[in-house]
Amino acid sequence: MTVEHAPEASDAAAELRAAAAGAMARELPSAWLEAHLVLPLGLAEDGALRVAAGGQPDATVVDALARRFARPVRLVPVPPQDLRAAVLAAARETTTVTADANDLLVGEETSDLRALADEAPVVTVVDALLRDALRLGASDVHLESAADGVRVRFRLDGVLRDVERVAPALRAGVVSRVKVLAGLDVAERRRPQDGRARLRVAGADGAPREVDLRVATLPALHGESVVLRILDHGGGGGARDLQALGMPEPVRARFERLLARTTGLVLVTGPTGSGKTTSLYAALARVATPGVKVVTVEDPVEYRMPGVVQVAVQPAVGLTFASALRAILRHDPDVVLVGEMRDRETAETAVQAALTGHLVFSTLHTTDAVGGVARLADMGVERFLIAATVQGIVAQRLVRVLCDACAQPADPDASPLATLATLEALAGEAIDDATPRWRRAVGCAACAHTGFRGRTGIYELLTVSEAMRALIAAGAPQDALRAQARRDGLVPLAADGLRLARAGRTTLDEVLRVAHLDDAA
């Protein structure tokens, strides 16, 4: 992107009026041009796209123009009031504004979506947001209605980041467009709605790839807010190998021994977005051999795995986790994955499956591995059944990895230094004797100036020994279970994170952000 010298005022006004009525401007919604104070003027002699700008446009706006016209952008500073007047005058002279969605959606769905989307001027805005989210690797897109428009935030590597603000005039249209894509009731604004969309999106290389969106709306003070969870099946989001998860070697070896069992219950715990499903699918990839029948029940099916029978729950027709699991057990499976244990019925059915000769994988929402025992008990599963079936529980978090292009050597900040000795004591023999390679985040273009690029896991693994089974069956308190787990070799989450911080892969502050020392202690 380059910038030209500002033209004379009279010349600028005339050129703006002509450009606003020109063919290039008609390819973009006038409301979008007005909101971002930009207007395509035409092509320069060197082939660059000259764009009038009534200020400094956001980088995402410049990127959208460059992609739309397949040209490098050269900004031409102009008075904002003149640009706005030219765009408004051109808008009054036309009664229709069209925007083509072909550059985002490809395939047979395109015509249907055009017919459903009655807010045509916002198609370009929504398309650009989805493309940018995919390009940056965002896991979620947040559209938050506010008095001054729509605040757009992407969740990148687990942290929300502001990327754009959509003008108030486009707020209703943007929300309606997303609701149409997800098959939601556009007219219903008083209650939350949940929906899904499957799009085939043109990637950076032009090849289409499938993307699933899970859409949730929420009525708020200034209008509906929307969150889109992105499940990118074609962007490298398939099941990963266990070795790629970042488990320390001792933990991975013990986890693989659990996978070699033919019966029992193996649980993965952690908050939403901590990579539980990714870990379970890595485990499935290890056990799904030609001689093993594997069936999953999920909400929704997040990864597609050849050779595995995958079932998506449909509560509207009575296909819940519990009912689907009961039906699955009549299909002679060897291994069963239950996406999440949400209620007593599901938990009890999974436990019974583990008792009757099946290896069952599932997830729970708990803060640590030992907490999985208490969670099952709280759901109504008898303690003796927990002791008899649970083989192991993995707790995990995702920490951001330092950007190698800009990270710099630096000792930890003063605030977490006081916790360092505690973490080293908790880690015990699991810590490497090598000299620490502490580094700090800086920020550069390669990491979008965050200092971090990508994420990796930190883990703790509870393997249920005979001593632990006796304590669980006897109803021992959590402290007693944690003490036994440490004797059995469990290294707490925060202490495992210390391993990565000492190696210079992340920072101690980042570890303590996702795995609090109180939990480890």
Side-chain angles (χ1 to χ4, degrees):
M1 180 188 71
T2 57
V3 180
E4 286 186 9
H5 293 296
E8 295 293 331
S10 58
D11 295 340
E15 187 175 16
L16 288 173
R17 286 193 297 272
M24 282 188 168
R26 288 198 298 270
E27 292 189 33
L28 298 165
S30 58
W32 188 84
L33 297 173
E34 181 189 2
H36 297 291
L37 285 178
V38 292
L39 178 64
L41 297 173
L43 301 182
E45 291 183 359
D46 60 359
L49 176 68
R50 297 175 67 244
V51 176
Q56 180 57 47
D58 189 85
T60 59
V61 176
V62 176
D63 287 347
L65 289 165
R67 286 193 302 268
R68 182 71 179 182
F69 296 100
R71 304 274 182 174
V73 172
R74 180 176 300 160
L75 297 181
V76 181
V78 297
Q81 63 273 17
D82 290 353
L83 191 153
R84 185 177 289 109
V87 171
L88 290 175
R92 285 194 296 269
E93 293 171 5
T94 181
T95 57
T96 61
V97 181
T98 61
D100 195 344
N102 272 335
D103 57 343
L104 176 68
L105 303 176
V106 293
E108 298 176 353
E109 307 96 328
T110 305
S111 59
D112 293 336
L113 290 177
R114 277 205 194 116
L116 288 171
D118 56 357
E119 297 287 346
V122 303
V123 171
T124 297
V125 177
V126 175
D127 288 0
L129 289 176
L130 287 174
R131 278 196 303 268
D132 288 341
L134 289 166
R135 177 174 57 85
L136 295 172
S139 61
D140 302 84
V141 176
H142 290 241
L143 307 175
E144 301 169 352
S145 294
D148 57 348
V150 178
R151 181 189 188 190
V152 182
R153 297 197 285 175
F154 292 168
R155 188 172 292 281
L156 303 171
D157 294 332
V159 178
L160 284 174
R161 183 182 179 204
D162 283 277
V163 293
E164 191 173 342
R165 189 169 290 272
V166 178
L170 297 177
R171 177 170 50 215
V174 167
V175 173
S176 295
R177 171 68 177 168
V178 174
K179 291 168 75 173
V180 165
L181 289 174
L184 302 179
D185 184 354
V186 177
E188 179 56 75
R189 299 184 178 92
R190 300 165 299 174
R191 60 181 178 85
Q193 297 187 72
D194 295 298
R196 300 172 189 167
R198 175 168 295 170
L199 310 178
R200 283 195 293 162
V201 180
D205 59 356
R209 68 187 201 226
E210 281 199 339
V211 175
D212 280 354
L213 302 179
R214 295 171 63 183
V215 179
T217 69
L218 185 68
L221 180 62
H222 297 290
E224 290 176 288
S225 289
V226 184
V227 175
L228 298 86
R229 167 64 58 88
I230 299 173
L231 304 174
D232 185 2
H233 298 297
R240 301 171 66 181
D241 186 82
L242 277 176
Q243 292 183 328
L245 296 181
M247 283 184 180
E249 183 58 33
V251 172
R252 185 168 63 86
R254 293 164 61 201
F255 187 57
E256 288 181 339
R257 286 197 291 272
L258 293 177
L259 302 183
R261 297 175 180 268
T262 56
T263 63
L265 189 60
V266 177
L267 301 173
V268 179
T269 74
T272 300
S274 59
K276 299 186 298 296
T277 303
T278 300
S279 294
L280 283 180
Y281 264 87
L284 283 187
R286 184 61 58 91
V287 302
T289 60
V292 175
K293 174 72 173 281
V294 180
V295 186
T296 76
V297 52
E298 305 167 73
D299 183 22
V301 174
E302 296 194 21
Y303 299 123
R304 300 181 186 181
M305 181 175 287
V308 174
V309 178
Q310 297 174 277
V311 179
V313 300
Q314 301 182 58
V317 296
L319 187 63
T320 63
F321 275 112
S323 63
L325 181 54
R326 286 193 297 270
I328 286 169
L329 295 179
R330 294 192 291 271
H331 280 250
D332 188 30
D334 298 295
V335 179
V336 179
L337 167 64
V338 182
E340 183 181 344
M341 288 194 188
R342 297 178 178 175
D343 52 50
R344 176 174 181 170
E345 185 181 12
T346 304
E348 288 182 337
T349 306
V351 166
Q352 289 298 324
L355 276 174
T356 54
H358 305 88
L359 182 61
V360 180
F361 298 129
S362 192
T363 68
L364 288 172
H365 290 284
T366 65
T367 57
D368 63 358
V370 173
V373 174
R375 180 74 182 111
L376 287 175
D378 290 343
M379 293 171 73
V381 181
E382 296 288 347
R383 287 266 182 170
F384 75 91
L385 291 176
I386 299 173
T389 56
V390 175
Q391 304 297 330
I393 305 176
V394 178
Q396 66 180 72
R397 301 287 191 279
L398 294 177
V399 296
R400 294 180 293 171
V401 176
L402 284 166
C403 173
D404 285 330
C406 62
Q408 295 180 356
D411 288 333
D413 294 335
S415 55
L417 274 177
T419 69
L420 193 53
T422 304
L423 287 177
E424 289 175 339
L426 288 169
E429 297 178 358
I431 198 167
D432 193 341
D433 289 333
T435 302
R437 184 175 170 247
W438 306 108
R439 295 197 297 172
R440 69 181 181 91
V442 177
C444 66
C447 60
H449 301 282
T450 63
F452 297 91
R453 196 172 184 183
R455 290 188 291 176
T456 191
I458 58 175
Y459 303 88
E460 66 178 34
L461 173 60
L462 165 67
T463 52
V464 182
S465 63
E466 290 305 315
M468 178 64 78
R469 293 190 195 283
L471 290 173
I472 294 173
Q478 292 281 87
D479 289 345
L481 297 181
R482 288 193 176 94
Q484 182 61 48
R486 291 300 312 281
R487 289 192 291 270
D488 292 338
L490 180 144
V491 175
L493 279 168
D496 182 47
L498 174 62
R499 169 183 61 89
L500 296 179
R502 283 174 57 93
R505 296 198 63 202
T506 189
T507 67
L508 198 54
D509 280 323
E510 175 68 8
V511 171
L512 295 177
R513 179 182 70 85
V514 301
H516 300 293
L517 183 61
D518 291 343
D519 298 334

